[in-house]
Amino acid sequence: MSDAASQSQLSTAQLEQQLRAQEAEIARLKADNSALQRKATSFERKTQSLEAAKRELFEQLRLLIENRFGPSTEKYSVDQQDLFFDEAEALLDRLEAEDVEEDEDRDEPTPSTTNTPSKRRSRGGRAALPPELPRVDVVHDLDEHQKQCHTDGAELTCIGEEISEQLDIVPARIQVIRHIRRKYACKTCEEGVATAPMPPQPLPKSNASPNLLAYCLIAKYVDALPLYRQEQVFKRLGIDLPRNTLARWTIQASELIEPLIERLRQHLHRSPVLHMDETTVQVNAEDDRKASSPSYMWVQRGGPPSQQVVLYDYDASRSGQVPVRLLDDYGGVLVTDGYEGYNQVVVANQLTHAGCWAHARRKFVQAQKVQPKGKKGRADQALSLIRSLYAVEKHGKHLSPEERLELRREQSQPTLDKLKAWLDKSLNQVPPKTTIGKALQYLANQWPKLTTFMSDGRIPLDNNPAENAIRPFVIGRKNWLFSQTPRGAHASARIYSLIETARANRIEPYRYMVRVLSELP
């Protein structure tokens, strides 16, 4: 082999070696580039995650500040020219204008009502005192020497009176009712003594009258006055009534009214639409449970407007078995919030399950609170459309269920279609962990239940009747804080049921409890 050929083979080998080295370097660079890209992608994801967490924490801070220092109302102010869906607000304005016109027409006196006394508050004045209150007349007259005419000395003649009314109150007055039972006997045979019977008493072995029992129950369950404070009130009046005695009276009175509670339950479960909600209550002495463990007070509400029933029940659990037990064989429409514990009874009883637009709206109100000041966003869009749904309900409030359903199909259905299209589009554009993202997810998850009202004119838009019924219990809980035993919690449930049912039907609760405790025995 010549030197030239050897040199050529060597050069080819070197070139191949260099090429392989370059290819290896290129592969290494590609690998490094891929690794850098993966790191960059991971870094970008971490950055996005940190930004999302930062935004979520910032929203939580804004919401906490708003809840702590801002107004508690869910109403929100809007500038109609800046709204995204002006037709909804135009509808509400038109309906409100109609209401104003109706009020103005109602204020015009008619021949049949001109001389009828009214409790309406006049502009700039005080409201008239209720005519059913008893009146005590205090007559103010002139002195005898003032009844003489200053000109000719003749006696003045009374030509009328000027009457002004002043509201007065008589503080609680304690008295003792003495039951004197007369005894009779025959003087001839001196056998057999007849004694006048004692009228039945609510608590036979106690010295509490029906009036006193009603007073204590109303003080606790209407005025949210705990028993230990009532004990202090009685001490100021000179009576020693320990809270243990008051607690025993309360439980015994609740057991006395239990037949009435069962009648209320039967009436309630004949209602075509039933509202249900629950809230926490602490019971200290409960078997196999810590004192700090949350228990629950469940509330049901239903019936026509003139025969409303509000029913409370205590249970240590919040499981789906509780609604199954409480609703028994009920087969109508159940209106609840988004808690999934109601699904079991819905399936078991084949109920129509309606959702609560007030809860959906509340999520967007929270999202609106964390928006930058002066800016409008998706929360305003949702609230605008939800507001239009309530405007339609306001307009159809006094219609029959059939007429209301027709109104909904004409005016609410287009709004629902627009809201659903907006919801589907927004779900893919908003991070799910943000406040607005959570509001959108809630709306999407609850959509089938939220649109159930479109199938029946009797179904309301929200679960507010149940929430309003549970509010007195929540207010009382802030004062008495807890129940000592399950028996006490069941007693509170029964008494709340009777009192709140009376109030729901515009019956004065004290007079009602006096009548119940007097006649039921």
Side-chain angles (χ1 to χ4, degrees):
M1 182 180 295
S2 65
D3 293 339
S6 300
Q7 187 174 1
S8 175
Q9 289 181 357
L10 182 61
S11 299
T12 301
Q14 290 177 346
L15 288 174
E16 290 178 353
Q17 185 178 3
Q18 291 177 1
L19 182 60
R20 286 194 296 270
Q22 290 176 357
E23 290 176 348
E25 182 66 17
I26 290 173
R28 186 183 64 79
L29 292 175
K30 287 182 177 180
D32 292 344
N33 184 51
S34 298
L36 289 174
Q37 288 181 349
R38 287 194 297 270
K39 289 182 179 180
T41 302
S42 176
F43 180 77
E44 184 177 357
R45 290 176 180 173
K46 289 181 179 179
T47 302
Q48 292 176 350
S49 177
L50 289 173
E51 287 295 328
K54 176 182 175 183
R55 181 177 177 179
E56 184 178 356
L57 290 173
F58 179 73
E59 288 183 348
Q60 291 178 3
L61 177 61
R62 288 279 301 274
L63 194 58
L64 287 172
I65 294 174
E66 185 69 25
N67 291 339
R68 177 65 178 86
F69 300 105
S72 59
T73 177
E74 293 181 6
K75 294 181 179 180
Y76 58 98
S77 60
V78 291
D79 182 2
Q80 294 184 5
Q81 295 181 352
D82 294 335
L83 285 171
F84 296 90
F85 302 103
D86 293 330
E87 68 277 8
E89 308 309 312
L91 174 62
L92 184 61
D93 290 341
R94 176 170 59 81
L95 296 178
E96 290 178 345
E98 291 175 1
D99 291 340
V100 171
E101 291 176 1
E102 291 177 2
D103 291 339
E104 291 175 351
D105 293 340
R106 196 181 298 115
D107 290 339
E108 295 180 3
T110 61
S112 61
T113 60
T114 302
N115 298 323
T116 302
S118 174
K119 294 183 181 181
R120 184 184 294 273
R121 183 187 299 273
S122 59
R123 187 179 299 276
R126 65 171 66 97
L129 297 178
E132 62 270 17
L133 291 179
R135 260 62 177 176
V136 178
D137 293 337
V138 179
V139 179
H140 304 280
D141 204 349
L142 297 175
D143 294 335
E144 291 299 325
H145 70 276
Q146 294 175 320
K147 296 180 181 179
Q148 305 295 326
C149 179
H150 296 292
T151 303
D152 54 13
E155 184 175 355
L156 300 180
T157 302
C158 181
I159 61 173
E161 298 172 333
E162 288 188 6
I163 300 176
S164 61
E165 293 189 332
Q166 187 179 43
L167 192 62
D168 189 30
I169 188 171
V170 178
R173 179 170 62 100
I174 294 183
Q175 62 186 13
V176 177
I177 299 177
R178 298 175 62 206
H179 292 274
I180 302 174
R181 303 162 60 198
R182 298 203 168 178
K183 303 167 65 176
Y184 293 85
C186 177
K187 292 184 178 180
T188 304
C189 63
E190 297 182 355
E191 292 183 3
V193 177
T195 305
M198 182 73 175
Q201 297 297 311
L203 306 183
K205 296 183 180 180
S206 78
N207 60 354
S209 71
N211 286 4
L212 179 59
L213 284 176
Y215 177 88
C216 296
L217 296 179
I218 296 301
K220 178 175 181 179
Y221 295 104
V222 176
D223 302 326
L225 195 64
L227 296 182
Y228 78 91
R229 293 184 189 171
Q230 294 189 45
E231 179 184 13
Q232 296 170 356
V233 171
F234 284 118
K235 278 186 178 179
R236 292 202 306 268
L237 297 174
I239 301 297
D240 184 18
L241 269 180
R243 70 192 72 175
N244 291 340
T245 300
L246 296 174
R248 185 174 65 254
W249 287 356
T250 299
I251 292 177
Q252 291 173 343
S254 77
E255 294 170 348
L256 177 69
I257 65 174
E258 190 166 2
L260 280 179
I261 303 303
E262 292 309 310
R263 291 296 298 274
L264 290 179
R265 193 180 305 277
Q266 295 171 11
H267 179 80
L268 175 65
H269 287 180
R270 290 195 295 266
S271 174
V273 179
L274 191 148
H275 297 262
M276 199 166 183
D277 198 5
E278 79 289 332
T279 188
T280 57
V281 60
Q282 182 179 332
V283 178
N284 286 346
E286 195 160 17
D287 294 340
D288 302 326
R289 286 169 61 90
K290 296 181 180 179
S292 58
S293 300
S295 299
Y296 294 89
M297 190 68 75
W298 298 75
V299 64
Q300 304 170 58
R301 181 169 183 169
S306 60
Q307 293 182 336
Q308 286 281 293
V309 172
V310 181
L311 202 60
Y312 292 79
D313 287 279
Y314 167 75
D315 200 286
S317 172
R318 200 193 181 198
S319 72
Q321 288 293 330
V322 181
V324 171
R325 175 179 63 83
L326 296 179
L327 295 182
D328 193 22
D329 58 351
Y330 178 71
V333 177
L334 179 64
V335 185
T336 70
D337 56 20
Y339 175 51
E340 295 182 356
Y342 296 104
N343 295 339
Q344 186 172 347
V345 70
V346 170
V347 174
N349 292 19
Q350 297 182 349
L351 303 178
T352 300
H353 197 183
C356 176
W357 277 100
H359 278 78
R361 179 180 59 187
R362 195 169 299 153
K363 305 287 184 182
F364 288 103
V365 170
Q366 293 178 344
Q368 188 189 49
K369 290 179 179 180
V370 300
Q371 289 177 170
K373 296 294 184 180
K375 292 186 179 181
K376 288 181 169 57
R378 286 184 171 85
D380 300 277
Q381 293 176 298
L383 290 172
S384 175
L385 286 172
I386 295 174
R387 195 175 183 217
S388 71
L389 294 177
Y390 275 92
V392 176
E393 294 302 302
K394 182 179 180 181
H395 189 57
K397 181 178 181 181
H398 301 292
L399 299 178
S400 66
E402 295 76 14
E403 294 171 333
R404 188 180 304 114
L405 182 59
E406 185 62 28
L407 179 68
R408 288 173 177 175
R409 289 172 178 171
E410 292 177 0
Q411 299 187 15
S412 296
Q413 188 60 55
T415 303
L416 288 173
D417 295 339
K418 184 175 293 187
L419 183 57
K420 186 63 167 65
W422 170 85
L423 172 63
D424 293 340
K425 180 180 178 181
S426 299
L427 281 171
N428 299 323
Q429 299 174 343
V430 176
K433 291 187 177 181
T434 60
T435 307
I436 184 65
K438 293 176 182 177
L440 292 169
Q441 289 291 337
Y442 182 88
L443 183 60
N445 295 337
Q446 295 294 312
W447 188 261
K449 300 173 187 175
L450 291 173
T451 53
T452 304
F453 77 102
M454 292 299 300
S455 63
D456 191 335
R458 297 172 301 176
I459 301 177
L461 215 60
D462 54 41
N463 198 33
N464 282 352
E467 291 196 4
N468 292 337
I470 216 165
R471 186 172 293 115
F473 174 82
V474 174
I475 293 174
R477 184 182 60 194
K478 292 181 180 179
N479 289 273
W480 44 259
L481 301 179
F482 57 84
S483 291
Q484 184 61 29
T485 63
R487 189 183 178 195
H490 285 294
S492 295
R494 288 189 286 265
I495 297 171
Y496 267 120
S497 298
L498 203 59
I499 289 177
E500 292 305 318
T501 296
R503 296 177 69 183
N505 292 280
R506 299 184 179 182
I507 299 174
E508 202 286 313
Y510 172 73
R511 293 194 185 98
Y512 178 65
M513 288 302 299
V514 169
R515 181 177 178 183
V516 166
L517 294 173
S518 299
E519 297 184 10
L520 192 59

